[in-house]
Amino acid sequence: MAERLTLPVLPLREVVLFPGVTAPIGAGRPATLRAIEAALAGSDRLVFAVSQRQNVESVTSEALYTIGTIARIGQLQRGLSGMQLLLNGEKRGIAIHYSEKDGYLQAIVREAEEMLPLKAEDPAFVALHREARARAAELGQKSGLPDEVVQQVLAGVNEPGRFADLVAGYIDITPAQRQMLLETLSVEERLRRVLVHMQRQIGVLDAQEDIKSQVQEELGERQ
């Protein structure tokens, strides 16, 4: 049975953090600052980073999703308006219970276990993983990233679930769509959904390029 942790809750507005992804977060609400201080007082600096269902100022347990990410606080800067910190996503977590403590929320969290494919060497799954990696490389190139950067990022993550999380953390989708991917515990299904999002985004970028070419042609003709 997965180990249970009691962690300070870091509510995220319009942001979803994935395991294996590092994200900069700004914190200014008093309850959130207290939760961060509580995490810093511990040796492991762990928090439960979980998205809010609605973008509200005052957060209660009802305003939070159940599935979030067990994350470690990295670099941190304090300022007059609050804190800027780097959050390193480590594992998916499921909140079993939320409660209030010393003016901030805490959660009893257990690690969410991923559902791996029955056979990792199954040809259909291998093909899905390869196609997703190929589309990720294409999307990176079309987005203007240097080819060596794209290849370096792809080479750094081989495990299909981690790869899907990495891509999900950076593609242009809504927070609700990101949350759905975070809650998709089946690696195969998550990979498939990420692939669909990538193909859609590639289609949009191609359409934008076509429109740009047409406009330039028309301008050239008028001149």
Side-chain angles (χ1 to χ4, degrees):
M1 191 173 167
E3 179 190 0
R4 293 187 178 191
L5 302 168
T6 300
L7 299 173
V9 173
L10 188 56
L12 303 175
R13 288 198 276 195
E14 305 293 315
V15 173
V16 178
L17 181 70
F18 286 88
V21 174
T22 298
I25 302 290
R29 291 179 285 186
T32 304
L33 295 175
R34 282 192 281 267
I36 292 168
E37 294 292 1
L40 294 174
S43 58
D44 49 16
R45 297 164 68 102
L46 289 178
V47 292
F48 184 53
V50 60
S51 295
Q52 296 178 202
R53 294 177 187 274
Q54 294 100 22
N55 189 354
V56 293
E57 188 65 29
S58 183
V59 183
T60 61
S61 56
E62 291 76 28
L64 298 171
Y65 285 103
T66 305
I67 293 185
T69 300
I70 298 165
R72 197 177 301 274
I73 297 173
Q75 288 179 313
L76 182 141
Q77 274 188 323
R78 299 172 196 270
L80 293 174
S81 59
M83 296 182 188
Q84 295 291 325
L85 57 150
L86 282 180
L87 268 189
N88 306 308
E90 299 210 339
K91 299 169 183 174
R92 275 174 176 73
I94 300 173
I96 298 164
H97 178 68
Y98 286 114
S99 61
E100 197 168 319
K101 180 191 178 185
D102 300 334
Y104 65 90
L105 285 172
Q106 67 174 16
I108 297 171
V109 181
R110 69 173 172 83
E111 187 183 337
E113 293 181 20
E114 289 191 318
M115 293 160 55
L116 299 169
L118 293 175
K119 289 184 181 174
E121 66 278 7
D122 177 66
F125 181 70
V126 171
L128 174 66
H129 186 201
R130 280 184 187 162
E131 178 66 12
R133 293 180 77 88
R135 293 291 74 76
E138 183 184 356
L139 181 57
Q141 180 202 8
K142 287 181 184 291
S143 300
L145 292 173
D147 193 48
E148 61 271 19
V149 171
V150 174
Q151 294 307 324
Q152 190 178 353
V153 170
L154 290 177
V157 55
N158 295 315
E159 200 270 313
R162 279 288 161 129
F163 167 74
D165 285 341
L166 181 69
V167 175
Y170 293 106
I171 50 177
D172 185 17
I173 54 177
T174 66
Q177 288 170 323
R178 285 188 210 282
Q179 181 65 29
M180 184 179 279
L181 290 173
L182 186 70
E183 293 180 5
T184 305
L185 299 183
S186 161
V187 170
E188 187 170 352
E189 182 60 26
R190 195 187 324 142
L191 205 51
R192 189 171 281 111
R193 287 179 180 181
V194 163
L195 178 57
V196 169
H197 285 306
M198 284 194 291
Q199 287 174 326
R200 192 173 291 138
Q201 204 170 321
I202 288 167
V204 169
L205 290 172
D206 286 343
Q208 282 179 325
E209 200 55 45
D210 289 344
I211 290 167
K212 190 174 160 188
S213 299
Q214 287 168 10
V215 169
Q216 284 174 338
E217 273 180 34
E218 285 179 24
L219 284 172
E221 287 169 7
R222 285 177 190 174
Q223 285 170 354

